[in-house]
Amino acid sequence: VGHEPARRLTREEYNNTIRDLIGIDLRPADQFPADLSASSGFKNSANSLFFQPLTLERFISAAEQVTSQAFPIDSLTQANQLKLSHAWNELLQDDANLSNPLAVIERFTSRAFRRPATQQEITDLESLYQRMRQSGHSPYHSIREVIEVILISPHFLFRNETVKGKKKVTQFEMANRLSYFLWSSMPDT
């Protein structure tokens, strides 16, 4: 019960969340400016987690780094799909040919946003995927661009709750509170 102000992920939370989301320990936030401690002494206080232009640039750079390292496409062709990286295998699961990109987008977005993605979010991301495909990009490159957009979304970078007043938090908001309190990372499902 009670309103929790929106707060961006700390460096540690960002690294842990990327690790648990992608399945590879890349630690891109090690290049971010240090998180400041609030007067309470905690580094994860919404009052001390400022969002400056430099921070945004680092988040964009980190998203590019994560997608290029975890989802390589330079030598990826239809013939060598068996050599997909661990991150690709986790992302695509049983759909290595990307025959159903909408399901892949919906599954990844819901995990990244730590709640079920809305229909509008899925529609917007699928539209981006289709525009990339129409521009001549491969399915793998197109889905990688969608992942990059997800990783710079405020729904990924911030922990935000919809609770106003004295209403109960949702099960997803409670899972986020507990998970980030205990492990400094996203919930496992």
Side-chain angles (χ1 to χ4, degrees):
V1 175
H3 175 68
E4 211 32 52
R7 64 179 77 187
R8 74 168 168 80
L9 298 177
T10 65
R11 289 171 48 162
E12 180 182 0
E13 290 170 343
Y14 185 86
N15 280 336
N16 293 344
T17 302
I18 288 291
R19 179 199 63 219
D20 294 343
L21 179 64
I22 304 295
I24 301 173
D25 193 13
L26 297 175
R27 307 201 54 80
D30 289 352
Q31 306 302 314
F32 292 3
D35 294 322
L36 302 174
S37 293
S39 59
S40 63
F42 295 105
K43 289 186 176 185
N44 64 350
S45 171
N47 297 332
S48 66
L49 293 172
F50 303 109
F51 199 77
Q52 303 168 357
L54 176 62
T55 310
L56 177 59
E57 290 175 20
R58 297 291 168 94
F59 278 127
I60 292 171
S61 176
E64 292 169 351
Q65 175 189 349
V66 167
T67 55
S68 66
Q69 289 181 7
F71 303 104
I73 55 173
D74 295 338
S75 61
L76 194 60
T77 64
Q78 297 288 22
N80 67 358
Q81 288 176 359
L82 297 176
K83 297 179 182 178
L84 290 175
S85 71
H86 173 73
W88 274 117
N89 287 327
E90 287 294 313
L91 175 70
L92 301 177
Q93 294 183 357
D94 296 329
D95 190 11
N97 294 326
L98 265 173
S99 58
N100 188 359
L102 181 61
V104 173
I105 291 169
E106 184 173 1
R107 185 173 54 248
F108 185 82
T109 305
S110 294
R111 288 201 64 230
F113 291 176
R114 301 171 295 274
R115 59 163 173 77
T118 67
Q119 188 57 50
Q120 186 62 51
E121 291 164 343
I122 299 302
T123 301
D124 292 345
L125 292 167
E126 182 188 22
S127 179
L128 170 63
Y129 175 83
Q130 294 302 336
R131 284 194 310 272
M132 294 294 294
R133 291 290 292 134
Q134 291 167 359
S135 297
H137 294 285
S138 73
Y140 295 105
H141 186 271
S142 301
I143 202 75
R144 190 170 92 168
E145 289 298 313
V146 170
I147 291 169
E148 197 170 304
V149 167
I150 292 167
L151 294 180
I152 60 172
S153 168
H155 300 295
F156 175 72
L157 298 176
F158 288 86
R159 293 175 40 212
N160 191 16
E161 296 180 358
T162 58
V163 176
K164 303 289 185 227
K166 294 195 176 220
K167 296 181 182 176
K168 291 184 179 181
V169 295
T170 68
Q171 62 184 350
F172 301 104
E173 293 165 343
M174 182 57 75
N176 275 315
R177 282 186 183 188
L178 289 172
S179 184
Y180 280 98
F181 172 71
L182 296 171
W183 299 294
S184 295
S185 186
M186 62 185 280
D188 57 359
T189 56

